[in-house]
Amino acid sequence: DKGAYPYYMLKEIDEQAVVARKIAGHYFDEDGNLQGIPCAVTDTIQEADRLYIVAAGTSYHAGLIGKRYFEQWAKIPTEVHIASEFAYDQPMLSEKPFFIFLSQSGETADSREVLDNVKKQGYPALTLANVMNSTLTREADFALPVLAGPEIAVASTKAYTAQVLVQAILAAALGNPGFDLKAELAKVAVEIQAITDEKESFKKIAESALKDQQSAFYIGRGLDAAVALEAALKLKEISYVQTEGFAAGELKHGTISLIEEGTPVFALLTQKKTAGLLRGEVAQVAARGANTVVFASESLAQDGDAFVLPEVNELLMPILAVIPAQLVAYYATLDRGLDVDRPRNLAKSVTVQ
Ligand code: M6R
């Protein structure tokens, strides 16, 4: 039930703060110790020499963020693969691979095909799914819940942030983030709420940057490049504005030739190491007439930025950085008079290959 909301998507965007708290409550006890991840899961992963995250669409984008946690905190080399590609062109595997399937529905045919293949080869697999008791949770050796609650809108929002959060928790169970993850997640929940409270800002940004536009770009570096992919998918799949998300350093290798007067270029700027370079790229597209819209974290923000993101640990910033993009996609679609929850040609759960 959407209650007072005009669309499920907006309700689900708003639920993200509650979901973050629910996940923290499920996976941490009152003393801040991790719980809810069976030793069999962590022991089996510790025996592996490499993780292979396999997923599609938004879940694949969540995997790109998770890779950072598994590598940086758990020190396990991690590859992220698009399920439909992996299924028919399996890359060379390490000696002791461990598979992680990420899926909101647990029914995505492309991911199921890969799970079938890797099971036949005898490799262990864990599914992180929002719908438990789905094919992918039943058929993997292990399953952990993502706890986003029912997601009805075709455009995935809270399942993405929940998948990122659960991967962070799993990586913390396998290694050491070097900070108090439980405390930081409490902060993340507060700041998600702070951003979703600013809907008017994003409504205005969507109107001014995207009105009458047929194409747009999202750029970022590092984790922000991964969020840019998700941000672009969100905008294109429901508003039909052709949107490309990519690593900002690639602009000069081709895409900058597409910039014209008024082209909307959204920049996500939350990673300190590359903030200076990204500022340079924003200036370059602005000099060619782009309408630049910068979403920057507090300590990196400058005058003229469209929205200042509250700050949490830099590796958790993707959870906050995606929310403006979700809201911009929502309002741009609303402005076009389209059905936000049910974009043309798409199904919520893609059960065919
Ligand atoms: O249920 P899954 O997470 O396996 O679905 C994967 C994709 O089909 C899904 O994330 C899709 O890309 C979303 N509609 C994007 O918003």
Side-chain angles (χ1 to χ4, degrees), residues 184 187 191 270 297-300 309-313 317 320:
E184 205 60 19
K187 219 166 133 193
E191 303 303 5
T270 70
S297 52
E298 218 168 329
S299 63
L300 303 173
L309 293 160
E311 202 126 356
V312 295
N313 182 283
M317 282 306 290
L320 300 185

Side-chain angles (χ1 to χ4, degrees), residues 4-326:
Y5 284 94
Y7 285 103
Y8 280 106
M9 185 185 180
L10 193 62
K11 176 172 180 267
E12 290 161 3
I13 290 171
D14 269 358
E15 282 169 353
Q16 292 176 105
V18 174
V19 169
R21 288 194 190 96
K22 190 164 121 198
I23 290 169
H26 180 92
Y27 285 108
F28 285 99
D29 69 15
E30 282 179 9
D31 302 323
N33 301 309
L34 281 160
Q35 61 181 14
I37 303 176
C39 290
V41 174
T42 43
D43 290 352
T44 312
I45 297 179
Q46 298 289 14
E47 282 167 23
D49 61 1
R50 188 171 285 256
L51 299 180
Y52 293 83
I53 299 176
V54 179
T58 287
S59 297
Y60 167 73
H61 297 154
L64 296 173
I65 309 294
K67 168 186 164 78
R68 185 67 70 92
Y69 306 146
F70 294 118
E71 294 198 329
Q72 205 153 315
W73 301 346
K75 312 282 181 227
I76 311 173
T78 303
E79 294 178 17
V80 194
H81 290 273
I82 293 172
S84 58
E85 286 297 303
F86 195 110
Y88 298 96
D89 281 298
Q90 183 170 299
M92 190 180 143
L93 300 179
S94 65
E95 245 166 67
K96 294 217 72 180
F98 183 93
F99 284 84
I100 298 179
F101 291 86
L102 281 182
S103 178
Q104 190 286 127
S105 63
E107 299 296 344
T108 298
D110 292 325
S111 302
R112 287 171 57 184
E113 179 72 23
V114 179
L115 178 56
D116 278 353
N117 293 348
V118 302
K119 273 176 62 179
K120 281 183 200 133
Q121 296 167 74
Y123 300 130
L126 159 72
T127 294
L128 303 181
N130 193 35
V131 181
M132 292 302 274
N133 202 11
S134 51
T135 308
L136 284 169
T137 63
R138 280 194 305 269
E139 294 184 353
D141 302 279
F142 312 104
L144 291 173
V146 154
L147 302 165
E151 194 183 63
I152 310 292
V154 165
S156 183
T157 53
K158 61 177 181 169
Y160 171 85
T161 42
Q163 284 171 338
V164 172
L165 285 162
V166 173
Q167 289 178 95
I169 289 169
L170 178 59
L174 295 163
N176 181 8
F179 62 91
D180 182 348
L181 182 59
K182 188 189 178 200
E184 205 60 19
L185 293 187
K187 219 166 133 193
V188 165
V190 170
E191 303 303 5
I192 291 174
Q193 180 77 54
I195 301 170
T196 54
D197 282 347
E198 297 290 329
K199 291 193 183 59
E200 271 310 303
S201 312
F202 301 111
K203 193 166 184 268
K204 285 194 192 122
I205 291 168
E207 273 165 18
S208 64
L210 293 166
K211 195 172 169 16
D212 301 329
Q213 294 294 333
Q214 267 146 35
S215 66
F217 298 93
Y218 266 97
I219 58 171
R221 280 176 173 253
L223 288 175
D224 290 330
V227 179
L229 296 178
E230 172 56 11
L233 175 59
K234 225 64 319 157
L235 183 57
K236 74 178 109 175
E237 77 173 316
I238 56 173
S239 74
Y240 317 145
V241 174
Q242 187 169 359
T243 314
E244 255 190 80
F246 57 96
E250 285 290 281
L251 268 171
K252 60 184 176 295
H253 298 293
T255 318
I256 200 163
S257 69
L258 291 169
I259 304 296
E260 293 174 352
E261 199 59 40
T263 304
V265 177
F266 294 86
L268 305 173
L269 204 147
T270 70
Q271 304 295 306
K272 193 164 173 225
K273 196 167 61 180
T274 48
L277 286 164
L278 192 55
R279 285 287 175 196
E281 281 137 357
V282 170
Q284 283 160 24
V285 294
R288 287 159 180 83
N291 182 7
T292 57
V293 180
V294 179
F295 300 138
S297 52
E298 218 168 329
S299 63
L300 303 173
Q302 290 182 2
D303 284 351
D305 288 349
F307 188 81
V308 178
L309 293 160
E311 202 126 356
V312 295
N313 182 283
E314 200 175 274
L315 292 190
L316 300 175
M317 282 306 290
I319 300 161
L320 300 185
V322 77
I323 294 171
Q326 295 171 344

